[in-house]
Amino acid sequence: MTDSCHESDTSAQPSQPASPDGAVVALVGNPNTGKTTLFNKLTGLRAKTANFPGITVDLRSGRIKLRSNFVEMIDLPGLYSLEAMSPEEKVTVNALAGSRAQTPVPDVVVLVLDTTNLERNLVLASEVLDLRLPTIVALNQIDAARAADIRIDISKLSEELNCQVVPVSARTGEGLEALRGVVDDTLFGKLPILSQNHQSCTVGCTGCTFAARFDWAERVSDANIQVPPTQGRRTDAIDRILTKPIIGVAAFLSVMLVVFYLIFSLASVPMDMVDGVFGAVGAYAEQLVPEESVQPGLWFGAVFVLSMSLFAAGYAAAGISWSRKSSVAAIAIAITVSLLPVDDFRSLLVDGIIGGVGGVIIFLPQICILFFFISLLEDSGYMARAAFVMERLMQFVGLPGKAFVPMLSAHACAIPGIMAARVIENWRDRLVTILVLPLLTCSARLPVYTMIAALLFSDSPFNAAMVFVGAYVLGIAAALFSAWCLKKTILRGKPVPLVIELPAYRVPSLRNALATVIDRGTVFVRQAGTVILMISVILWALATYPKLPPANVANVISGQSTADEAVAQEALAYSFAGRAGRLVEPIFRPLGFDWKINVGVLTSFAAREVVVSTLAIVYGIGEDSAEDEATLVETLRRQTRPDGSAVFTKATGFSLLVFFVLAMQCLPTQAVTKRETGSWKWAVFQLVYMSAMAYVAALVTFQSCTALGF
Amino acid sequence: MSQITLSHAGPGTFRCIEVTGEGEPVVRLKRMGICSGRQISILQAGDPMILRVVGARIGLSRELAATVVVDCHNADTDPVSATAGVRGEGESRD
Ligand SMILES: Nc1nc2c(ncn2[C@@H]2O[C@H](COP(=O)(O)OP(=O)(O)OP(=O)(O)O)[C@@H](O)[C@H]2O)c(=O)[nH]1
Ligand SMILES: [Mg+2]
């Protein structure tokens, strides 16, 4: 390293020369220049990207292949200057200085510049070049620059910056081989490391410390790059409409309405298909299981092998290794299942496994479509405009406009939403946003809403759609109201005034959207195949055992005409799940829930979509699914209370809906809240205030609906 | 040389003279190019407003725009809003 003449930057010097293995290549650049896109292309990983400054919030590492060996590549949050202001920018500055645990000073810095916005990017470039680390400049988005007719003199720029300059496009893959080659050469000493000698601001700068860098950037950019005067006209033209105070808000609402309309209209066909497949599989499985045990040895062996292979698949999907504990658990459960009486086994297979998992998988199409559109929207550049037009509205509840961006993402899933809350500079505002984000309707609520909407208004698609609109609006209103309350009480303070870069609009990358869909779809299916499967089986056991003693069966039969159903009801009530549901009956009765719904509500605190599986199991047991391929909703609608009235009246339906809109029922979200706020205190607070609000709101809903005679 | 704050300027192009005030938000402004010597164009006035600085669009709240002092003698400047700005300087209304 050429460190002999620069004493000033001792902290930034690598402690040892670049070694072939364990070499680290860091991607550094302004926000939104395409670092993560480049990282994904080079490493084959799939970190989140979007056309919004500040998407990457933490260091991420992967391996890239150079000519002959692999080296480590790290993707870093974007920053405007090494004078870091936010925790994310500090991550990058610390990584460059080698002051992060486990991250040595990078051996090569790849400075990712946005060619369509070069002058601005050169400011950070001058700071990074001053660190005197071996640096390569990647002129990214060269495809977009070419399309905009921007001309650059690459060799002159390279001379001026005194380092290698490689034009690349992370989107099309152009120039990536050349980049790999230059990284390889720089790492393994085939290229001389040039000394830097450009403008910096160490002495004699008064006023703005950045002024000298900006002057330098302007000069370098003027000398080496020609930007046509029409640059940015299209974005300006779109912005003239989308950023206007009233038209902007109206445009935003229409965009969201169209997206949600598409989600429901496009998803109905694939959902019916999934429903049909699971119905058929259930019916087939029911026939397949023999009426009575054929040959005990053979039966035991077959079921044991089946159970063990299910465990193998589940463990592989959940990433659980076959340790002693996990193996013992798997074998013990497989043996238990193999020893079950045939009738019980059939019920486990049909009601527990197929019914439970199928009840959730059916929502895969909606979730994929939701993520697809949110990804397109994020990639278009619209999100920064949403923050911009919402700035004034958000000020009413005491939050900055930027809080709107995580709120939009949270409509897919609260977890990325909570991560995205890092765009909010002020800690207090960030905390308030995190606390209210889970109130927004995430994709896991879709199954619940769909079920309830169908229960309430299966005859009227318009009313069913209005149930959805109402639920979304309720979620948003509750989030804004809670934010306002928090900002008025325990987390007072003025929001930080807005400064945000509005990136140029881009045609969203379809490939990126599809990749997001595949990622999120896989996560959802994996969740259904592991956690939800496990909960379903446990629930089935809790809802089946202990069994109703034969004496009670006789009692029930003698007193009733619809004998089978009555026995099933009685058996469920006698089981563990039934007892738990009854135990909490006094608490939930004012909300209009019967004890079976209570079982669903109790299990849904692990993950809210489980309520659908639970109801499928609780109500499915004792139903003859082979006869009529009854959908869950039809089954639910048939249910009656002991006095003969229907369980799911309008009042109960609305109350259940309100409860699920507002309740905090997602353990992974709680874990992320804890991580992002640094303490369980806030996660617990979130759980308590949301659940209390859900209870009170559902109570008011049920009581007023009943009073009005629904 | 007459000076106005950005919050009082209408659409047009100005040269930034200084950013008054201190603290985090001000450093943020400077890093984005709203800093002495740079050209600032107002694309859309209002609260928040849209500027073009160093080749990029920046959304900026009026509260922060009030800390930015610009030179109002500029060929591009809309004279009506510029004079209105001079008069209005120091007042909270526009
Ligand atoms: N046309 C074009 N678009 C690109 C290219 N590289 C990235 N993009 C787009 O630029 C946007 C930003 O990409 P990201 O990879 O998220 O940017 P980043 O530098 O990681 O941003 P931060 O994490 O916010 O600092 C996305 O919309 C990408 O699709 C490119 O080479 N050409
Ligand atoms: Mg990134």
Side-chain angles (χ1 to χ4, degrees), chain A residues 35-37 48-49 55-56 75-78:
Chain A
K35 298 174 295 298
T36 306
T37 312
K48 182 176 167 103
T49 65
I55 290 294
T56 306
D75 179 28
L76 293 164

Side-chain angles (χ1 to χ4, degrees), chain A residues 33 103 271 281 301 399 414 458 476 493 509 532 542 568 587 645 684 710:
Chain A
T33 54
T103 320
M271 283 176 75
V281 168
L399 287 180
S458 64
I476 295 169
S509 151
I532 293 182
L542 290 177
I587 302 175
S645 62
V684 170
F710 282 113

Side-chain angles (χ1 to χ4, degrees), chain A residues 80 83 85 89 119-120 208 214-215 218 232 235-236 243 388 392 425 494 497-502, chain B residues 24 27-28 30-33 35 38 44 47-50 52-54 56-61 63-64:
Chain A
Y80 287 102
E83 203 169 299
M85 314 264 342
E89 293 182 339
E119 183 180 338
R120 163 169 300 276
C208 174
F214 276 111
D215 288 339
E218 190 175 313
T235 296
D236 288 344
T243 58
F388 182 88
R392 282 226 280 199
E425 297 97 346
K494 228 168 72 56
L498 179 80
V499 192
I500 193 173
E501 186 173 344
L502 305 172
Chain B
E24 248 188 59
V27 181
R28 263 177 220 287
K30 290 182 175 173
R31 303 186 316 167
M32 294 191 129
C35 139
R38 301 272 74 74
Q44 181 184 312
D47 184 19
M49 59 180 69
I50 302 183
R52 180 193 292 286
V53 190
V54 198
R57 284 170 208 79
I58 309 280
L60 182 71
S61 72
E63 187 186 337
L64 277 179

Side-chain angles (χ1 to χ4, degrees), chain A residues 190-467:
Chain A
K190 289 190 205 107
L191 277 180
I193 290 154
L194 303 161
S195 67
Q196 323 288 345
N197 58 343
H198 50 80
Q199 182 67 55
S200 69
C201 187
T202 40
V203 273
C205 282
T206 52
C208 174
T209 48
F210 298 102
R213 292 192 192 278
F214 276 111
D215 288 339
W216 176 82
E218 190 175 313
R219 186 181 63 71
V220 173
S221 144
D222 285 349
N224 298 289
I225 185 163
Q226 285 174 355
V227 181
T230 53
Q231 151 99 325
R233 289 261 167 94
R234 201 172 45 132
T235 296
D236 288 344
I238 301 175
D239 269 352
R240 264 196 285 281
I241 300 166
L242 291 185
T243 58
K244 284 277 147 41
I246 292 171
I247 309 174
V249 175
F252 170 74
L253 291 179
S254 339
V255 167
M256 292 319 283
L257 268 180
V258 169
V259 166
F260 284 107
Y261 174 76
L262 286 176
I263 288 172
F264 295 109
S265 56
L266 294 183
S268 67
V269 173
M271 283 176 75
D272 287 345
M273 273 159 52
V274 176
D275 196 24
V277 168
F278 271 92
V281 168
Y284 181 71
E286 179 135 27
Q287 283 169 8
L288 207 64
V289 178
E291 280 303 313
E292 50 211 70
S293 183
V294 247
Q295 216 229 351
L298 196 66
W299 174 254
F300 180 88
V303 175
F304 182 78
V305 169
L306 188 75
S307 316
M308 287 306 285
S309 39
L310 207 59
F311 264 105
Y315 279 9
I320 299 170
S321 63
W322 286 89
S323 68
R324 178 186 284 180
K325 247 192 227 154
S326 64
S327 313
V328 168
I331 293 172
I333 293 173
I335 292 180
T336 317
V337 170
S338 320
L339 289 175
L340 285 181
V342 178
D343 277 345
D344 287 11
F345 177 76
R346 185 185 304 118
S347 167
L348 169 64
L349 191 65
V350 176
D351 301 322
I353 296 176
I354 298 174
V357 173
V360 169
I361 288 285
I362 186 173
F363 298 99
L364 183 63
Q366 281 184 347
I367 284 160
C368 288
I369 295 172
L370 178 66
F371 275 104
F372 181 78
F373 283 116
I374 293 221
S375 168
L376 285 188
L377 209 58
E378 287 179 341
D379 220 14
S380 70
Y382 182 69
M383 298 298 252
R385 274 74 185 183
F388 182 88
V389 292
M390 290 298 167
E391 169 81 4
R392 282 226 280 199
L393 289 181
M394 296 294 282
Q395 297 264 341
F396 284 120
V397 299
L399 287 180
K402 284 185 189 173
F404 201 73
V405 174
M407 289 192 172
L408 214 59
S409 310
H411 280 92
C413 173
I415 292 173
I418 291 176
M419 300 294 296
R422 292 200 196 177
V423 301
I424 302 166
E425 297 97 346
N426 179 281
W427 159 244
R428 223 179 308 104
D429 294 343
R430 194 184 286 193
L431 179 59
V432 170
T433 309
I434 290 174
L435 289 175
V436 305
L437 277 178
L439 287 168
L440 299 163
T441 292
C442 65
S443 57
R445 283 185 179 93
L446 288 181
V448 189
Y449 292 1
T450 310
M451 180 185 81
I452 296 173
L455 262 176
L456 288 172
F457 300 108
S458 64
D459 44 340
S460 155
F462 177 77
N463 284 350
M466 290 320 284
V467 168

